[in-house]
Amino acid sequence: MDALAAATGAVDSVEARRRLSAPAVRAFSALAGQWKLSEREQLALLGDSVGRSTLYEWAKGMVRGTLNQDQLMRVSYLLGIYEGLQRLWHHAPAEADAWVRRHVADHPFHGRPPLAFMIHGGLPAMAETRAYIDGATGGPPSRG
């Protein structure tokens, strides 16, 4: 999924989005399982353009069409957050997965769980959460 993170700036390219859509859907489905996201939570994180039937198809491994820019950005942020948490708690992956549901006192969460913060705040909150995790890990991982 390194290509997905590297393509964050190229999501306006139809070809890049077409190439990244299936891997992004597979990665999101795996992430949803790791974080034990309910259907409602998954739909809220993915935004208004993804419905229940699409989510059901994704869970079955079916990807039809190409993700739009918003969908790809959301998945990219979530995967970056997941990866950063795994780096922080590499010896305790269950703790990394549980973090999204913990109440976090730090800015920008102000006592709310990061998952609730991202659901309520959408894409900008996902970007803030990603920046928070990158700050805690010393930045995004090297892709060199």
Side-chain angles (χ1 to χ4, degrees):
M1 197 44 47
D2 291 345
L4 180 61
T8 300
V11 294
D12 55 343
S13 160
V14 175
E15 178 53 38
R17 288 188 290 112
R18 185 178 301 122
R19 187 178 68 254
L20 295 170
S21 289
V25 167
R26 285 192 301 271
F28 176 79
S29 294
L31 169 82
Q34 287 294 118
W35 284 357
K36 298 175 177 55
L37 298 176
S38 69
E39 178 183 273
R40 184 181 143 288
E41 290 168 333
Q42 291 176 60
L43 290 170
L45 288 170
L46 291 169
D48 294 336
S49 64
V50 176
R52 281 190 167 102
S53 60
T54 300
L55 191 62
Y56 178 79
E57 288 177 353
W58 289 7
K60 298 292 181 191
M62 295 184 285
V63 181
R64 297 174 197 214
T66 301
L67 297 182
N68 64 36
Q69 288 177 308
D70 181 73
Q71 293 164 339
L72 197 58
M73 288 298 297
R74 287 170 182 268
V75 172
S76 180
Y77 277 128
L78 293 168
L79 294 176
I81 293 163
Y82 173 82
E83 182 179 30
L85 291 171
Q86 292 299 315
R87 285 187 295 136
L88 278 173
W89 281 288
H90 61 280
H91 292 298
E95 291 297 314
D97 294 335
W99 181 84
V100 295
R101 295 187 187 276
R102 288 194 193 113
H103 294 268
V104 178
D106 298 340
H107 176 78
F109 311 109
H110 303 290
R112 292 182 289 175
L115 181 59
F117 174 72
M118 291 186 289
I119 286 172
H120 179 74
L123 198 55
M126 290 178 196
E128 283 188 79
T129 303
R130 171 71 191 264
Y132 176 89
I133 294 299
D134 284 349
T137 61
S142 171
R143 301 286 183 215

